Amino acid sequence: MERRFLIGMAALMLFAAACSERAPADGVAFDHVTVIDALNGVRENQRVLVVGERIESVMPMSSASESVRQVIDGRGRYLIPGLWDMHVHFLYDEALTDDMAALFLAHGITSVRDTGGDVAALSALRERLASGTEPAPRIFISGPLLDGRFVVYDGASAGQPQLGIGVASPAVAERRVADLAAAGVDFIKIYELVTPEVFAALVAAAGQRGLPIAAHVPLTMTADEAGPRVDSMEHVRNVELACADDWRELLDARRARIAAFEDGRGYDLRSAIHAEQRLPAIAAYDAERCAAVLATLTDTVQVPTLRLNSFAVARPDLRDDWPSALEQLPPAVVARWREELHARAGDGVDTAFADWSLFLVGEMHDAGVPIGAGTDTPIGLAVPGYSLHTELGLLVRSGLSPLEALESATRIPARWFGLEDTLGSIDSGRAADLVLLDADPLADIDNTRRIAGVMSRGRWLPAAAPVDD
């Protein structure tokens, strides 16, 4: 009797073990997929298993024997890390603010860096999205643009909303950064009308608190002076002055004009300086001088926003998929944008700055300067999410390989925030922010638009964006 009991128990245990082996494991598996990321390159015929909000494993299909509860067919498809947009403004256009998060995700952007706006409003927006039932991208915020005694984005009009705040002295700089750190910002943003003394104070205050710094090149400084002291530079704006053979004369003229400015708007002051000096500086380009400038920037990520700078040579409205992209926006926004396009069509087209921006990014790339992908969405008719794919195409046009362009929107922004062990690549233990593509982005970077689905924090959103045929 005892022997029969033991045999029976052993059989039951073996049966239970067999059932356990056959029971589907928790999680979602992308099977037979080609995995592409800048850290590991290309891995074909893989299973990527996601459990909860993390990637559990990445392995060849030949090693994958376990069944799972949900399988996503990856045959003929390509899995890339969730994309970043490193330069957006949620608060630039109130009519778009509430739609932007969903639009970003629909186009595969799972993380964004908001580079200027009211810190309380941005914190509330981020908290509301994070606590909501709908998936949303990760949002990293700087709070307001830290500008000079005069503020460029001072709220005087719809085209210049209240994105900035004045920093009139080094003492004020310390207080501003302390307040922002207490409010929970992820980095700070330095703008164009700060003095060199205020710039130095902002850099010191951010450094003391471990906050990364994004910055425009201040008009009173040169790119090789300011750039090495910050973590990213935006728009490749004001770099043309540093690369000109008469840069000293141009800089002296700028400083004198700013010092003499006592009454008026910061927006008008900045615009006048750009109008007077940008094209002459480009015309006075000195290759040897520029090479020396770029050599100082190899530890500073450049976020060129080519989509904005090169609008004149890469108009989004000339693409076949532009009408469908516009349909995703609120009708009032679409009406305003169509009016703006009509107005632009009536202007004479000067492509000098557009061509210069594309050229300079190529020079930066060749010099080993890291490039980050950002768009300045929604400024300049940038559809949230959609515009990032335009940026990737322009980066390739400037000389980056498709894999390097992907790196600019995945690994580089993650590394900028010290999150390279969490985001930006596809490995076990990484966050499950992923984009499944129907075509190979390394064969044609435009294939990043061919999205079969997006995973955000482990939540699978199939057919998140229309396929661009």
Side-chain angles (χ1 to χ4, degrees), residues 291-306:
V293 170
L294 299 187
T296 71
L297 302 177
T298 54
D299 292 325
T300 306
V301 173
Q302 304 297 308
V303 184
T305 62
L306 288 173

Side-chain angles (χ1 to χ4, degrees), residues 27-37 43 45-51 54-61 64 68 70-72 79-80 425-428 430-432 434 436 455:
V28 179
F30 297 86
D31 276 1
H32 301 285
V33 73
T34 297
V35 178
I36 299 174
D37 68 43
R43 290 166 286 175
N45 198 30
Q46 300 288 301
R47 164 177 279 186
V48 177
L49 176 61
V50 172
V51 177
R54 297 281 168 180
I55 298 171
E56 178 74 14
S57 60
V58 182
M59 66 179 70
M61 283 303 300
V68 296
Q70 182 179 2
V71 173
I72 298 167
L79 195 66
I80 63 173
S425 61
I426 301 177
D427 279 306
S428 59
R430 300 294 198 271
L434 303 164
L436 186 64
M455 178 168 278

Side-chain angles (χ1 to χ4, degrees), residues 36-335:
I36 299 174
D37 68 43
L39 179 63
N40 301 290
V42 179
R43 290 166 286 175
E44 297 180 342
N45 198 30
Q46 300 288 301
R47 164 177 279 186
V48 177
L49 176 61
V50 172
V51 177
E53 295 187 8
R54 297 281 168 180
I55 298 171
E56 178 74 14
S57 60
V58 182
M59 66 179 70
M61 283 303 300
S62 59
S63 302
S65 58
E66 187 178 33
S67 62
V68 296
R69 294 191 185 281
Q70 182 179 2
V71 173
I72 298 167
D73 187 4
R75 290 179 177 86
R77 289 172 165 175
Y78 302 81
L79 195 66
I80 63 173
L83 299 169
W84 287 68
D85 191 326
M86 286 192 77
H87 197 120
V88 311
H89 294 283
F90 269 94
L91 305 182
Y92 180 81
D93 185 343
E94 291 182 356
L96 261 177
T97 298
D98 290 340
D99 294 274
M100 286 176 66
L103 287 169
F104 281 126
L105 273 190
H107 291 281
I109 288 76
T110 56
S111 298
V112 297
R113 195 179 68 151
D114 188 290
T115 51
D118 178 75
V119 66
L122 286 169
S123 296
L125 173 68
R126 177 165 65 177
E127 183 176 348
R128 176 168 57 82
L129 290 171
S131 61
T133 58
E134 296 301 316
R138 302 170 195 270
I139 302 173
F140 300 82
I141 64 173
S142 69
L145 310 172
L146 298 173
D147 216 343
R149 184 162 64 99
F150 297 94
V151 176
V152 174
Y153 280 97
D154 58 2
S157 70
Q160 295 101 47
Q162 183 90 49
L163 301 181
I165 191 170
V167 186
S169 69
V172 174
E174 167 66 26
R175 291 199 301 272
R176 294 289 194 220
V177 176
D179 289 345
L180 289 172
V185 300
D186 303 293
F187 64 108
I188 68 165
K189 171 75 173 293
I190 302 177
Y191 214 57
E192 292 187 40
L193 292 180
V194 298
T195 64
E197 295 76 20
V198 167
F199 178 88
L202 290 169
V203 169
Q208 290 167 6
R209 293 164 177 82
L211 291 172
I213 304 169
H216 288 211
V217 178
L219 289 167
T220 54
M221 303 174 73
T222 58
D224 50 322
E225 180 186 6
R229 298 159 69 184
V230 301
D231 301 287
S232 72
M233 286 167 47
E234 313 301 306
H235 309 301
V236 297
R237 188 177 295 158
N238 299 327
V239 182
E240 67 275 1
L241 178 142
C243 287
D245 60 12
D246 59 347
W247 66 271
R248 290 183 181 85
E249 291 85 352
L250 292 170
L251 183 61
D252 287 344
R254 282 185 177 186
R255 287 176 170 173
R257 179 162 190 155
I258 291 170
F261 193 78
E262 291 296 335
D263 185 36
R265 294 189 56 228
Y267 187 90
D268 296 332
L269 173 61
R270 184 193 69 158
S271 297
I273 292 173
H274 286 170
E276 290 172 6
Q277 291 196 343
R278 175 176 286 163
L279 296 184
I282 290 172
Y285 170 74
D286 182 323
E288 184 175 351
R289 163 68 186 170
C290 203
V293 170
L294 299 187
T296 71
L297 302 177
T298 54
D299 292 325
T300 306
V301 173
Q302 304 297 308
V303 184
T305 62
L306 288 173
R307 186 237 32 108
L308 177 68
N309 293 11
S310 298
F311 189 95
V313 296
R315 285 182 50 163
D317 56 307
L318 300 181
R319 285 185 54 91
D320 291 342
D321 58 1
W322 175 252
S324 61
L326 273 190
E327 287 176 3
Q328 303 171 62
L329 306 182
V333 174
V334 174

Side-chain angles (χ1 to χ4, degrees), residues 373-437:
T375 62
D376 217 5
T377 293
I379 297 173
L381 310 181
V383 176
Y386 173 93
S387 60
L388 191 277
H389 300 278
T390 302
E391 186 72 14
L392 296 180
L394 289 169
L395 290 175
V396 170
R397 181 171 169 177
S398 291
L400 278 68
S401 70
L403 186 59
E404 289 169 333
L406 285 177
E407 183 177 28
S408 76
T410 53
R411 192 179 180 201
I412 283 177
R415 186 168 61 201
W416 197 85
F417 281 110
L419 297 173
E420 199 172 5
D421 291 338
T422 302
L423 298 166
S425 61
I426 301 177
D427 279 306
S428 59
R430 300 294 198 271
D433 288 2
L434 303 164
V435 184
L436 186 64
L437 304 175

